[in-house]
């Protein structure tokens, strides 16, 4: 929140969640909220400027000059030539509390930004929360997030920010097989700066 890449004409502070889109499979947290996943968000963006030069990040996420939903033709917010940071506001896991109509959904940025297909939540034996996620982009990755804090089943309110801090991992697989059985091994690689 507040990062330069999130500041737009619609939100110059880069701190306000202005919707969620293309939501896919969700996961239920042990404290009663839901995690909805913003997948394939690139299909909402395009450019009214045919000469607009896309950035490496726009190319990586498949944000094109045209799009399947064509929202950029009717709302400048989705026109990358006018609001180049707007796509950065999508591709997150969003936590929603269905039991509190006054609550504000939270984009859980610690879980990474990609074309989230799902978010499956488990509590590890040591009490930390683990979220397993897949990228809906072809030939991309599987991730897991491990919270720094521990789940407290006796105090649901204390768990509300467990997804703010932790470590994000990506899976690396080595099938190691030459006979095509794909019974290889894998390892989790921490994505740390």
């Amino acid at each position: 929140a507040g990062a330069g890449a999130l500041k737009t004409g619609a939100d110059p502070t880069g701190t306000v969640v202005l919707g969620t889109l293309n939501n896919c499979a969700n996961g239920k947290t042990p404290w009663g909220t839901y995690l909805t996943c913003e997948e394939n968000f690139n299909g909402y963006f395009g450019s009214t400027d045919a000469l607009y030069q896309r950035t490496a990040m726009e190319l990586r996420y498949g944000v094109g000059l045209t799009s399947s939903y064509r929202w950029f033709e009717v709302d400048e917010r989705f026109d990358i030539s006018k609001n180049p940071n707007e796509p950065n506001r999508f591709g997150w896991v969003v936590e929603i509390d269905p039991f509190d109509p006054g609550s504000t959904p939270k984009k859980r940025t610690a879980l990474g930004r990609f074309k989230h297909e799902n978010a499956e939540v488990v509590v590890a034996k040591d009490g930390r929360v683990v979220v397993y996620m897949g990228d809906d982009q072809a030939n991309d990755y599987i991730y897991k997030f491990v919270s720094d804090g521990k789940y407290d089943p006796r105090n649901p309110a204390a768990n509300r920010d467990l997804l703010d801090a932790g470590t994000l991992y990506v899976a690396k697989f080595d099938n190691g097989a030459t006979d095509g059985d794909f019974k290889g091994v894998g390892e989790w690689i921490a994505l740390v700066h």
Side-chain angles (χ1 to χ4, degrees):
L6 296 177
K7 295 178 180 178
T8 67
D11 175 24
T13 68
T15 60
V16 179
V17 173
L18 296 174
T20 181
L21 52 76
N22 220 57
N23 302 96
C24 195
N26 64 48
K28 184 178 185 288
T29 67
W31 49 93
T33 61
Y34 285 89
L35 303 177
T36 184
C37 302
E38 296 177 330
E39 71 168 3
N40 303 320
F41 56 90
N42 57 302
Y44 295 84
F45 296 92
S47 174
T48 55
D49 177 0
L51 300 178
Y52 177 80
Q53 296 294 313
R54 291 177 293 156
T55 66
M57 191 66 74
E58 289 166 341
L59 292 168
R60 170 70 175 95
Y61 284 112
V63 175
L65 298 179
T66 63
S67 67
S68 54
Y69 295 119
R70 301 170 51 190
W71 285 18
F72 71 98
E73 294 177 7
V74 295
D75 188 339
E76 284 187 359
R77 183 176 168 206
F78 297 92
D79 186 333
I80 58 175
S81 65
K82 295 178 181 172
N83 287 294
N85 283 345
E86 193 65 37
N88 300 336
R89 298 168 65 83
F90 300 96
W92 306 101
V93 172
V94 183
E95 186 171 13
I96 298 171
D97 186 344
F99 302 107
D100 181 0
S103 67
T104 301
K106 294 181 182 179
K107 295 205 178 189
R108 294 300 187 181
T109 57
L111 277 62
R113 177 176 179 248
F114 49 90
K115 296 178 179 179
H116 286 273
E117 173 62 29
N118 66 310
E120 178 62 30
V121 183
V122 298
V123 177
K125 289 179 183 178
D126 69 357
R128 292 185 294 162
V129 174
V130 182
V131 184
Y132 292 94
M133 302 164 285
D135 192 330
D136 202 36
Q137 179 67 34
N139 301 312
D140 261 278
Y141 306 96
I142 297 171
Y143 299 87
K144 77 173 178 179
F145 170 84
V146 180
S147 68
D148 286 343
K150 294 185 178 182
Y151 172 65
D152 182 354
R154 294 175 308 277
N155 187 358
N159 302 307
R160 295 297 175 146
D161 294 321
L162 283 175
L163 302 181
D164 281 348
T167 304
L168 183 63
Y169 297 84
V170 65
K172 180 179 179 184
F173 298 103
D174 176 11
N175 73 13
T178 57
D179 61 0
D181 69 2
F182 297 104
K183 294 180 181 175
V185 296
E187 64 177 306
W188 288 107
I189 300 171
L191 299 173
V192 294
H193 295 282

